[in-house]
Amino acid sequence: MNVSKNDEQVVARKKGGLNPGVIIPILFVIGVAIYLFVLGNPGNFKPDPRVSGASVALADIEAKELHPESFMGIVYMGGPIVPILITFMITVIVFSFERYFVLKRAAGSGNLDNFVVKVRSLLNQNRVDEALEECDRQQGSVGNVVKEGLTTYKALANDTTLNKEQKMVALNKAIEEATTLEMPMLEKNMMILSTLGTVATLVALLGTVIGMIKAFFALGSGGGTPDAAALSTGISEALINTALGIGTSAIAIILYNFFTSKIDGLTYKIDEIAMSIQQSFAEFN
């Protein structure tokens, strides 16, 4: 079965960028490793005075009688929700870098504003070939869309079988199809940032609730004398999860809005040049 050029381009763009199904499980393993071996490093905890020798911190960890003496030790006390939140944070960072480089590549090799000005100026003079050369130099998603529009422009200018109205429709359709082909690459993985902006807070809330349950359990047990250590541990677990979740959510939302504005800017540039192409074609053909 033959596959059209457009279908091949769609498949290529869908394959572009990081694959979440592969990357996220790897990041989860990294998050758990950070929790166990970095935050849970025995050096982050004070030795229990009841135990002596080289196995002091290890004995503390095995007995769950931890006495953090560093910030990393305090974060470790956040409990089993912490590695999940660490995974969320790492995921936000990784996919933010990925989106940054993808969008930078999509903008092309030169200054995008200058490219738009040059192409519009050349189109106003009906210098289509020179505008195509500018597209080859610029490259990127914007350059690809404009090049497709200009290539169609030249083909339609020499077509004698269609009237002017039909040519304008065909030109507009070609530009829209080229834009549609580029958009999946620009928007891919943006949903991950959007989702984590909400889910991180909810997971943190779960950790907060678990910590508060432990705190109230400690408050109610002990025959009228609350276990101060268990109470403080439960409260600290709740607050640690809250802090990690809110921080991750805030970063994800900020970066999502930043990249969304970048995508909107690229789309606006494409629309701006597309209008110039249509106006030039209507004027000179």
Side-chain angles (χ1 to χ4, degrees), residues 149 151-175 277-279 281-282 284-285:
T151 302
T152 305
Y153 181 115
K154 288 186 65 176
L156 291 173
N158 298 322
D159 192 329
T160 58
T161 62
L162 301 176
N163 59 39
K164 187 171 184 178
E165 184 177 349
Q166 291 173 324
K167 290 181 179 180
M168 289 297 297
V169 171
L171 178 61
N172 185 55
K173 183 179 179 181
I175 295 173
I277 293 174
Q278 294 168 354
Q279 291 174 347
F281 188 86
F284 295 105
N285 296 276

Side-chain angles (χ1 to χ4, degrees), residues 207-208 210-216 228-242:
T208 302
I210 293 174
M212 294 307 297
I213 290 173
K214 291 181 179 179
F216 281 110
L231 177 62
S232 62
T233 299
I235 294 175
S236 65
E237 179 177 337
L239 295 178
I240 289 166
N241 283 285
T242 301

Side-chain angles (χ1 to χ4, degrees), residues 17-50:
L18 297 178
N19 185 346
V22 175
I23 298 299
I24 292 179
I26 295 175
L27 296 180
F28 176 71
V29 173
I30 294 174
V32 172
I34 291 174
Y35 176 73
L36 294 176
F37 302 112
V38 179
L39 301 180
N41 190 304
N44 296 325
F45 303 91
K46 296 178 182 178
D48 191 322
R50 296 172 298 174

Side-chain angles (χ1 to χ4, degrees), residues 263-277:
I263 294 172
D264 290 343
L266 292 176
T267 304
Y268 174 77
K269 298 297 183 184
I270 291 173
D271 292 341
E272 187 177 358
I273 298 181
M275 184 174 295
S276 296
I277 293 174

